[in-house]
Amino acid sequence: MDWKKTSVILCLFGFLKEFRPSEPFVTSYFTGSWKNFTTEQVNQDIYPYGTYSNLAFLIFIFLMTDFLRYKLVIILCGLSGMATFLTLLLGKSLLEMQIVEILYGLFISTEVAYYTYMYAAVDKTHYQKVTGFTRAAFLFGRFLSGLVAQLTVSYGLLDYEQLLYLTITALGLSTAWAFLLPGVKGSIYFHRVNNNEDLTLSNANMKLEQESESQTITRKSKNILLKLKEAYAYLWKDFLKAFTNSHVVKWSLWWAFATCGYVQVLNYVQLVWETAYGKDQKKIFNGAVEALYTIIGAVAVFGVGTLRINWHLFGEIILSIFSIIEGILLFVSFKSYDIWLLYGVYIAFGVIYHTVITVASFEVAKHLSEDSYSLVFGINTFLALVLQSLLTFIVAGGNVLILNIRQQFLVYSGYFVALGLIFMIMAFFTINNYRRQGRNLQFWQSVDETISTS
């Protein structure tokens, strides 16, 4: 199929997948008359299961995505999304809500297929365009979702439960649409097409095949065994190539730690908002905030690509400054009960994260081969989920500290400040090492160029 048609199908799937107007009000739905759970139950007994589930599924889904060549996992993404919100709609008990979160963790983990499908289905010459198209579709879906949610709720057209019907319908359409995606012949690890660079691995596979001919197992079993060994060899090769690069390691560490904090805030911020607006429905503008945050974030993400900054030299200090700013914003969330200030803080926090994570993505990608980007993406996401699960267990779901939602945000504030201080120390050594190597003149020239382009 032509790459343009493939892009259109993939973009429409992404748009429909992100059109979930029930999400901006899901906490209010849990605590409202529909489900009647307390904020403590939502905080400690329901939401943590989504984090644990996502972690449990991620590695398995990552490998199955490559082994099954994407399409089936993309269909599973739509089906698991439908199952999540159908269970939320029909369930009543605490156990059923925990199952909702487990299904939601599966849904989120299967999104890796959507983000990596394009690299297997489209020629490399079109990667940049297709990446831009799919990202735009994703953002537009989220923007329209928030806008529709706010307008229908504000004008009394739909309540929080009725918004679920829109979400389920959109996910059903996305699932049906996914069947139109063309299959792919190859994948990155289990079905890679060998080239000259992989000659050694090819020869190794031939040898394995010759050795296995004498064994009394079926041909199908031999093929699976060979694919597993080949995939392991490719995975290990790409892992070593990526994580022996210090620049990749530093940016990946920030990526993982910042994503951990960001997703934790995203999951629990509605509980903080509830402490500010209480039961006053006139103050609830969650959908509008999500729409505004998405569109500002999109502008910031596209704009950051035009900046000319020596990221090798100044990257760590920039990561440090923005991490500390995010910590300060979360401290404001801990202290303030002004819902408008809390909304503004959330927008600023999200825009900063998406802008800097975009920089982290292309800084890591610049030092990788195209084939290994999905592996690094998966490893960074996995590390973020491990950290998030640990953080969730300590402050919310494991009865270790038993903190209320405000106290949790104080912990998250300290987390980002600590991350900023660590990268500030790293920046000091990087800049000092740069100047020690006799490049003092180039250092000040880089400073002047950075200031002038900013």
Side-chain angles (χ1 to χ4, degrees), residues 114-162:
Y114 170 73
Y115 294 117
T116 55
Y117 170 88
M118 69 186 82
Y119 300 115
V122 175
D123 188 83
K124 292 181 179 181
T125 56
H126 303 302
Y127 276 2
Q128 186 172 349
K129 288 183 179 180
V130 176
T131 301
F133 294 157
T134 52
R135 182 65 181 173
F138 164 86
L139 292 170
F140 185 62
R142 292 200 63 174
F143 168 74
L144 196 61
S145 174
L147 187 63
V148 168
Q150 190 62 58
L151 290 175
T152 53
V153 168
S154 295
Y155 287 99
L157 301 175
L158 298 173
D159 62 25
Y160 301 152
E161 184 163 88
Q162 289 166 337

Side-chain angles (χ1 to χ4, degrees), residues 49-112:
Y49 279 82
T51 300
Y52 303 148
S53 170
N54 195 358
L55 175 63
F57 283 121
L58 183 66
I59 293 297
F60 174 74
I61 292 296
F62 175 78
L63 294 175
M64 289 304 295
T65 296
D66 195 89
F67 185 76
L68 297 175
R69 306 184 210 194
Y70 309 95
K71 183 173 177 176
L72 288 177
V73 181
I74 291 176
I75 293 170
L76 176 61
C77 179
L79 289 173
S80 58
M82 288 179 63
T84 298
F85 292 98
L86 275 170
T87 308
L88 177 58
L89 177 66
L90 301 174
K92 296 293 183 183
S93 68
L94 178 62
L95 176 60
E96 287 170 322
M97 295 306 102
Q98 290 169 342
I99 292 172
V100 166
E101 290 299 313
I102 292 171
L103 290 170
Y104 188 73
L106 174 61
F107 171 57
I108 296 300
S109 66
T110 54
E111 288 183 335
V112 67

Side-chain angles (χ1 to χ4, degrees), residues 225-236:
L225 180 63
L226 289 170
K227 285 182 182 296
L228 288 172
K229 291 182 177 180
E230 182 184 55
Y232 171 77
Y234 283 130
L235 281 163
W236 184 242

Side-chain angles (χ1 to χ4, degrees), residues 54 72 90 177 225 281 308 341 351 390:
N54 195 358
L72 288 177
L90 301 174
W177 194 255
L225 180 63
Q281 301 294 312
R308 291 185 177 182
L341 180 58
V351 169
L390 180 62

Side-chain angles (χ1 to χ4, degrees), residues 175-240:
T175 304
W177 194 255
F179 281 93
L180 299 178
L181 284 168
V184 296
K185 294 181 180 179
S187 65
I188 296 173
Y189 295 111
F190 287 98
H191 309 284
R192 183 181 290 192
V193 178
N194 289 323
N195 54 34
N196 292 334
E197 292 180 359
D198 301 319
L199 188 58
T200 303
L201 288 171
S202 259
N203 292 335
N205 290 336
M206 290 173 62
K207 185 177 179 181
L208 285 168
E209 192 168 3
Q210 290 171 357
E211 290 173 354
S212 62
E213 284 176 357
S214 61
Q215 299 174 359
T216 58
I217 57 177
T218 66
R219 185 176 182 82
K220 185 176 180 180
S221 297
K222 289 190 292 181
N223 287 337
I224 292 175
L225 180 63
L226 289 170
K227 285 182 182 296
L228 288 172
K229 291 182 177 180
E230 182 184 55
Y232 171 77
Y234 283 130
L235 281 163
W236 184 242
K237 174 188 171 185
D238 286 348
F239 176 84
L240 289 179

